[in-house]
């Protein structure tokens, strides 16, 4: 069966079960930690795929990866996933759950990439400007990338605003090269 379909079905089932039990916020934080852990530690995913490990050992590993203490809803869901031998889909299931939660709660994801660290007041101003344009709330992340040379890149959902020096220099270079080709 298609990996995307499997992940979507499990994530939807978990989301509706979490809504019924009023645990969607707790599950969101647990799934966020789990997805970040699985993304940053590929050896954990390889370990979970190991058929020699027992279900109990895999459950303990996943509980550890999701945080110190996890909810009963999370444990029951992981037990179901392990029973159905779908642990290789956990990364995708967690990401789909995060998307479903954000759509339900009307949360947009924003990311600000700058060439040097920016103070909190500037970040809050940018976040406020974005929130005035977007409906709902915004989950905002910042990142420093010195390769930009200056300026910033702002990501909101699927939109990208690139005001970096590096991209402006690249555009100028390509314009100059295209003019030189016309002359020659």
């Amino acid at each position: 069966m298609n990996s995307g379909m499997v992940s979507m079905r499990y994530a939807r089932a978990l989301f509706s079960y979490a809504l019924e039990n009023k645990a969607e916020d707790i599950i969101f934080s647990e799934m966020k930690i789990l997805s970040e852990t699985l993304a940053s530690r590929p050896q954990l995913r390889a370990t979970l795929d190991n058929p020699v490990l027992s279900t109990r050992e895999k459950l303990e590993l996943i509980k550890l990866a999701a945080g110190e203490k996890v909810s009963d809803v999370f444990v029951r869901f992981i037990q179901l996933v392990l029973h159905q031998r779908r642990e290789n889909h956990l990364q995708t299931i967690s990401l789909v759950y995060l998307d479903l939660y954000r759509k339900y709660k009307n949360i947009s994801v924003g990311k600000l990439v700058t060439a040097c660290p920016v103070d909190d007041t500037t970040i809050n101003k940018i976040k406020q400007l974005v929130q005035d344009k977007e409906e709902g709330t915004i989950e905002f992340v910042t990142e420093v990338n010195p390769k930009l040379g200056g300026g910033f890149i702002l990501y909101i959902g699927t939109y990208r605003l690139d005001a970096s020096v590096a991209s402006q220099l690249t555009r100028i270079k390509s314009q100059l090269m295209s003019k030189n080709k016309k002359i020659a």
Side-chain angles (χ1 to χ4, degrees):
M1 185 177 264
N2 185 345
S3 174
M5 288 176 50
V6 169
S7 301
M8 181 60 85
R9 287 181 180 170
Y10 276 83
R12 281 184 183 158
L14 174 61
F15 187 69
S16 39
Y17 185 73
L19 280 176
E20 288 173 14
N21 291 290
K22 297 185 182 4
E24 69 272 7
D25 298 332
I26 296 165
I27 299 296
F28 175 76
S29 62
E30 292 168 347
M31 291 303 255
K32 190 172 185 181
I33 294 168
L34 179 63
S35 72
E36 290 169 357
T37 305
L38 288 171
S40 65
R41 295 197 166 78
Q43 67 273 20
L44 175 61
R45 288 184 11 205
T47 304
L48 290 175
D49 289 342
N50 187 348
V52 176
L53 278 177
S54 70
T55 304
R56 181 177 306 254
E57 291 170 321
K58 289 180 181 183
L59 177 64
E60 291 305 315
L61 274 173
I62 295 168
K63 284 167 53 176
L64 251 166
E68 300 254 340
K69 188 177 181 209
V70 291
S71 65
D72 293 336
V73 173
F74 182 81
V75 172
R76 289 191 64 197
F77 176 73
I78 297 302
Q79 287 172 337
L80 171 70
V81 169
L82 292 173
H83 178 73
Q84 297 296 324
R85 298 185 182 273
R86 301 289 192 187
E87 57 268 18
N88 58 331
H89 297 286
L90 267 176
Q91 173 75 32
T92 317
I93 291 170
S94 62
L95 292 173
V96 171
Y97 180 88
L98 296 176
D99 285 343
L100 291 171
Y101 178 87
R102 287 181 179 126
K103 282 181 188 172
Y104 181 78
K105 298 282 186 167
N106 200 16
I107 299 172
S108 299
V109 178
K111 181 178 179 182
L112 177 66
V113 183
T114 57
C116 60
V118 181
D119 62 339
D120 288 339
T121 56
T122 306
I123 292 171
N124 289 334
K125 284 181 184 178
I126 293 172
K127 188 176 179 180
Q128 189 60 45
L129 285 170
V130 172
Q131 275 188 322
D132 291 344
K133 301 289 181 191
E134 291 280 321
E135 292 183 22
T137 58
I138 294 188
E139 229 177 74
F140 214 70
V141 180
T142 59
E143 181 182 310
V144 176
N145 184 353
K147 292 181 182 178
L148 295 180
F152 64 90
I153 302 174
L154 179 65
Y155 299 92
I156 302 294
T158 58
Y159 299 106
R160 177 180 183 221
L161 173 64
D162 190 343
S164 66
V165 172
S167 67
Q168 290 174 8
L169 289 174
T170 305
R171 274 186 292 226
I172 292 170
K173 180 182 174 183
S174 67
Q175 287 173 353
L176 289 173
M177 291 182 73
S178 69
K179 282 184 180 179
N180 284 338
K181 285 181 183 177
K182 289 179 184 176
I183 294 173

